[in-house]
Amino acid sequence: MRVVVADDSVLLREGLVRVLEEAGHDVVGSYGDADELLAEVEDLAPELAVLDVRMPPTFRDEGVRAAIRLRTEHPTMGILLLSQYVEVAYAQELLGSGGGGVGYLLKDRVASLADLTDAIDRIAAGGTVLDPEVVAQLIGRRNDPLASLTPREREVLQLMAEGRSNTAIAQSLFIGVGAVEKNVTAIFTKLGLEESGTDHRRVLAVLALLQR
């Protein structure tokens, strides 16, 4: 897969490039800020962009802004945002830009080749990947509008938010795939997510979790 990387930390950026190349990906561009990436992305035609959330000049949300622009101009490009801390609002904003093929991970995860490769594979397949720490904070909030979900349905939704397939959820919870499908259907029903030809209901379910 053709990948571009943007992070102002030289050490982290070089580490990302090395890990991605070890996983068999072709890193076609590496940048210290989002503007440099955006200026060259058209010519490079990457399939995935990995961006730090906070980059020069303000170190606020440059990566998020760049990610949303990339999603608008290149809808099929996968996006993986990296952050030092759990910042739910940024994850919500990225997912709210529409569709799957997006991820939000804490930087600690990139130290593991297996974790990073797994996330990239799921993003490339059109999935949505949220860091388990982000999901844990969301699940633990009070005044839960998802209170109608059963404990098992909450477990299933949490794993959905991490980008797991029904088969992977079944393996994680030691239940059958059919049982997972029933729980997923119940989640959609309770959240009022009707079958649609344009909306990805798994993404919408994760958005419901983020908008708590």
Side-chain angles (χ1 to χ4, degrees), residues 99-201:
V102 296
Y104 181 100
L105 293 179
L106 294 183
K107 289 186 176 181
D108 289 347
R109 303 288 172 196
V110 304
S112 167
L113 178 59
D115 285 347
L116 182 60
T117 300
D118 181 55
I120 289 174
D121 288 345
R122 284 183 276 142
I123 291 170
T128 301
V129 179
L130 286 181
D131 194 282
E133 289 294 329
V134 176
V135 178
Q137 287 199 20
L138 292 167
I139 292 292
R141 287 184 177 183
R142 297 181 179 180
N143 301 319
D144 184 5
L146 307 179
S148 63
L149 300 184
T150 66
R152 175 64 81 191
E153 290 163 359
R154 284 170 172 266
E155 289 179 318
V156 170
L157 179 56
Q158 178 170 353
L159 291 168
M160 284 170 59
E162 292 176 16
R164 307 295 175 181
S165 66
N166 285 357
T167 300
I169 293 172
Q171 293 172 345
S172 178
L173 298 179
F174 301 101
I175 59 177
V177 174
V180 173
E181 292 173 349
K182 289 181 181 179
N183 279 284
V184 170
T185 298
I187 291 168
F188 291 157
T189 299
K190 291 180 180 180
L191 296 180
L193 301 176
E194 300 298 331
E195 184 67 55
S196 167
T198 57
D199 293 330
H200 193 309
R201 290 195 293 174

Side-chain angles (χ1 to χ4, degrees), residues 52-115:
D52 186 10
V53 165
R54 300 184 178 189
M55 287 185 284
T58 69
F59 293 95
R60 292 180 181 175
D61 60 355
E62 284 80 5
V64 181
R65 302 270 71 76
I68 292 173
R69 177 174 165 183
L70 289 172
R71 293 291 288 176
T72 300
E73 298 178 356
H74 308 276
T76 62
M77 186 187 302
I79 301 291
L80 174 57
L81 279 181
L82 301 177
S83 179
Q84 191 70 40
Y85 310 102
V86 175
E87 298 173 290
V88 172
Y90 291 147
Q92 180 178 340
E93 194 164 2
L94 175 63
L95 286 172
S97 65
V102 296
Y104 181 100
L105 293 179
L106 294 183
K107 289 186 176 181
D108 289 347
R109 303 288 172 196
V110 304
S112 167
L113 178 59
D115 285 347

Side-chain angles (χ1 to χ4, degrees), residues 36-50:
E36 292 180 7
L37 183 155
L38 292 171
E40 298 186 10
V41 70
E42 194 72 39
D43 294 331
L44 296 173
E47 299 164 87
L48 175 76
V50 181

